[in-house]
Structures are given as structure tokens and as C-alpha cells.
Amino acid sequence: MSRDADTLRGRTAIVGAGNTRRWHAPRRTPFDQLQEAAVLALEDCGLRMSDVDGLYCALSNSGLPVLNVAERLGVKPRHADGTMVGGASFLFHLQSAMAALVNGLCDVALICYGSNQLTASGKLVAVHDPQPYETPFRPRYPLSSYALAAARHMHEYGTTREQLADVAIAARKWAMLNPDAFVRDPLTRDQVLTSHMISDPLTKADCCLVTDGGAALVLTRADRARDLPHKPVYVLGTGIAVSHRQISAMSDLATTHAVESGRRAYAMAGVSPQDIDHLMVYDAFTINTLLFLEDLGFCAKGEAGGMVSEGVISPGGRLPVNTNGGGLSCNHPGMYGLFTIIESVEQLRGHCGARQIKDVELSLAHANGGVLSSQATAILGTAATL
């Protein structure tokens, strides 16, 4: 076990979760969504806004998220982190909060996010760096970057369009069990394959939803967590990795730095992929699910397509993946990473109704940011895993 594991494993816990479930909310700003989620998370664990002294947030519409959110919520944090690395930001925040809590820099940490991407006509206010090697080809950002990775994976490993379609179908099958999912209609291979081509080889049905939404988590130290209303969900291990900014700088289009973030998280948690009962990965596009299944060690490189087509990740399969429906069918409000953790928490609490996984003790949540640029992995467990 690593020194990090000795220091951090299981010493903090998620005690509150808030999810607005407002995927289409025309009169709500990103700050409205964030504030509601924060209030819900604090109510969930019986704490007050005045208890919060650690603040972690990222927003695509704000250049000074910590300052704006602190003012909006009326909190005066002793520790704060506004790291912005795209959709993985909130798992970066989780690692930061974990360390701050253990070292006494704060006592109650709030991680929060809000977006109105759908009702803002699908637009995110963000500054994109110059792309001198990509702009001449007129790519559709970020979709064309993921299409490039998909094409390379297909070339190297024989991955097929049908296998990519089966990722979307698996997500939809889970969404059909989730009353809160934004899209719950049945989905067939033919519908995915004949959907409008956006950036070859990815069609519209290979792409995540565009929704509004807000989410928040509350963390505290493990000794305090036992006194709060819900059974704590312990943070056993985390790992982060950054590899590039633009896709043209990615060293291997078919392998992400989830290999590194996963390795670090497993080492801290003292577990392996074979120990994981439930998996949430950031499925902004169908290729993401295949890449992360491989890079996080759930199958060998090039085998994820066949694994998915065999029904392994679908309801009834041996590895439940993206059980809320994922970004492909449940919700995707611009930056989705926090929602992967929330579903892991709900599964570990046993609160997922028809989609609940039996006897789940260990859940892995993984998030991605940029164009496969930032990767973050968190391993969460019940008290039985300590």
C-alpha cells in the first residue's frame, strides 16, 4: 500500500448529495442550478450553509467561479479550489477536498456545479486556445477530436460502428430504468447507425445529450460522517492525470491517461479492477466508454467493443456501467463529471430503485475533460470496504 493510501484512504466521506434533476429549466441560470443543488446536498446530510468552510467549483460561464459562487451562497471558505480542466474538474476537486479535510484546512467541503446549456441554446461560454494545426481543417469542437480518436481505435483494433452503437444502446437500456433520465425511448442499432452523421465516424446518436442541470456533494472527515443521517460513502482512492490540451498533441489517440489516473486511484484504495462492483465513466461520446473500459483495466486494449456487444455492461450484465443512463441518455449539462460520482453514491446507498445493483460495495467513478485531455478516477466504498 502506498504512502498516499496510508494517509488518505477512507479518512473522508461523502455525506450529502444534491441533484436538481432539472434537465430543462428555461428560467434558471447556472448559478440558480448550482445553488439549488448545494442546498439539496446540505439538507441531505443535515448541515447548513454556514457549516461550509471548503468550497470547490467550476463553471463554464464564469472566469472567477470560487468568488462568484462564494458570494452567491454566502459562504466564506477557509479553503477553496476553482481548478478548471473541463468535465473532470469535480474529481480533481474531490482529491483536493480529501487532502484539505485530512490536513485540517477545512471541516465541511462543498463541491458544486450548475449549467443551463440546453436553455442557453446549447452554448457554453468558454475560452478556447488557438489550434494552429487543427483550425485549417474546420473541425467541429469538441466532436471532431473524439471522432479522430474513434477512427484511430477502429483502425488499430478493428472496432466497428456496430460496437459503438451498442454503447449508446446499453446506456439507453439503463436510462429506461431511471425515471429521472432525460431520454427514455427504446433505441436500436439501426437508429444509431442511420442517425445524422456529425463527424465521421460519429453520428448524432453517438453524442451526449445537451441538458441543463445542477449537482453538489458534501464531504467531511470519516469520524464526523458517522453522526450524520445517511450511511457515509467513503473515498478510498483518487487519481488524476493531464496529458495535453488539443487533440493534435495527444501522444496516442487510442489510449488515454485514464491508465495513469486509474493506476493511482487503485493504488491508494488498495483494490484492482476485478474488485469493482459498479462503474461510472464519462460517456460524452460512445468511444469514451470503450476507451475507459480498456484504460481502467476492465479488459485488454481493443477488447471493449466486443465486451459491450456481448451485453456485459447492460442491465443484467456482469459489469454494470453508467447505470443512470450516462451522458448519452440521462443528462449532460456541459460538464458531466460530478454526476458520475452522484450515481456512485446513490448506488452505494442503495437508493436507485429499479436500476439498483445488488450488494454493491465498491464503485468507481471516472471523469474526462477537454478532448481526452484530463482524466480523474475516484474509488468509493461502503463501511464494509474500510
Side-chain angles (χ1 to χ4, degrees):
M1 188 176 288
S2 69
R3 183 183 175 192
D4 284 344
D6 290 334
T7 305
L8 298 175
R9 186 190 192 276
R11 295 192 55 195
T12 59
I14 297 169
V15 294
N19 184 351
T20 67
R21 298 178 174 84
R22 296 183 188 274
W23 314 138
H24 182 252
R27 289 175 291 278
R28 289 179 178 264
T29 69
F31 289 104
D32 293 336
Q33 289 271 10
L34 181 151
Q35 184 174 38
E36 180 181 356
V39 169
L40 289 171
L42 287 162
E43 288 179 344
D44 186 50
C45 60
L47 296 175
R48 298 170 297 178
M49 199 69 73
S50 58
D51 294 317
V52 174
D53 58 354
L55 179 62
Y56 305 84
C57 55
L59 289 163
S60 58
N61 68 315
S62 171
L64 299 169
V66 168
L67 304 186
N68 284 311
V69 171
E71 180 179 271
R72 176 66 180 259
L73 299 182
V75 299
K76 301 190 185 309
R78 293 193 291 132
H79 192 271
D81 189 342
T83 295
M84 174 56 162
V85 289
S89 299
F90 312 101
L91 275 73
F92 276 60
H93 297 161
L94 181 70
Q95 181 168 278
S96 179
M98 188 181 183
L101 286 162
V102 167
N103 286 286
L105 299 179
C106 64
D107 296 318
V108 176
L110 174 67
I111 305 173
C112 47
Y113 174 65
S115 170
N116 67 339
Q117 188 183 14
L118 174 60
T119 51
S121 303
K123 297 177 181 178
L124 289 175
V125 179
V127 176
H128 298 308
D129 299 330
Q131 305 171 51
Y133 302 108
E134 300 174 23
T135 301
F137 297 95
R138 301 177 67 187
R140 303 191 71 165
Y141 184 87
L143 173 56
S144 293
S145 299
Y146 287 89
L148 189 64
R152 187 65 193 180
H153 200 276
M154 295 168 79
H155 172 75
E156 286 197 32
Y157 301 111
T159 305
T160 66
R161 281 289 301 115
E162 289 76 13
Q163 290 170 339
L164 289 170
D166 289 343
V167 172
I169 293 166
R172 185 62 58 84
K173 288 178 178 178
W174 283 114
M176 292 170 68
L177 299 175
N178 180 6
D180 294 318
F182 190 58
V183 180
R184 303 180 67 218
D185 299 330
L187 184 66
T188 67
R189 258 192 186 180
D190 186 60
Q191 287 175 314
V192 179
L193 297 174
T194 60
S195 182
H196 180 63
M197 182 64 70
I198 306 295
S199 191
D200 193 11
L202 301 181
T203 69
K204 181 180 179 182
D206 287 292
C207 304
C208 65
L209 302 171
V210 176
T211 71
D212 301 334
L217 295 172
V218 178
L219 289 89
T220 191
R221 285 182 289 277
D223 54 356
R224 183 180 186 183
R226 291 187 287 269
D227 298 327
L228 297 174
H230 295 292
K231 63 180 183 180
V233 171
Y234 296 93
V235 185
L236 304 178
T238 60
I240 64 173
V242 174
S243 52
H244 58 277
R245 174 61 181 92
Q246 301 302 334
I247 200 74
S248 55
M250 189 174 178
S251 59
D252 181 348
L253 288 168
T255 302
T256 75
H257 265 46
V259 172
E260 296 300 322
S261 67
R263 178 182 60 79
R264 293 163 187 159
Y266 290 132
M268 186 186 295
V271 301
S272 70
Q274 291 70 36
D275 298 314
I276 301 300
D277 302 314
H278 171 255
L279 177 62
M280 292 296 298
V281 297
Y282 195 118
D283 58 340
F285 303 94
T286 51
I287 186 59
N288 292 41
T289 300
L290 301 188
L291 289 170
F292 299 144
L293 284 169
E294 295 169 355
D295 296 345
L296 291 169
F298 292 95
C299 62
K301 204 66 197 170
E303 293 183 0
M307 178 179 171
V308 170
S309 291
E310 290 169 5
V312 170
I313 72 170
S314 298
R318 62 176 171 80
L319 180 64
V321 176
N322 293 349
T323 50
N324 63 343
L328 291 166
S329 284
C330 180
N331 69 294
H332 196 293
M335 296 193 291
Y336 175 70
L338 196 46
F339 294 92
T340 66
I341 309 177
I342 284 181
E343 178 67 7
S344 289
V345 169
E346 292 300 303
Q347 285 286 345
L348 290 166
R349 286 178 168 184
H351 293 173
C352 289
R355 69 184 190 279
Q356 178 64 46
I357 308 307
K358 186 178 180 181
D359 300 326
V360 59
E361 299 287 354
L362 277 174
S363 180
L364 186 152
H366 181 80
N368 159 81
V371 286
L372 299 172
S373 313
S374 60
Q375 305 298 331
T377 308
I379 298 172
L380 310 176
T382 64
T385 64
L386 293 177

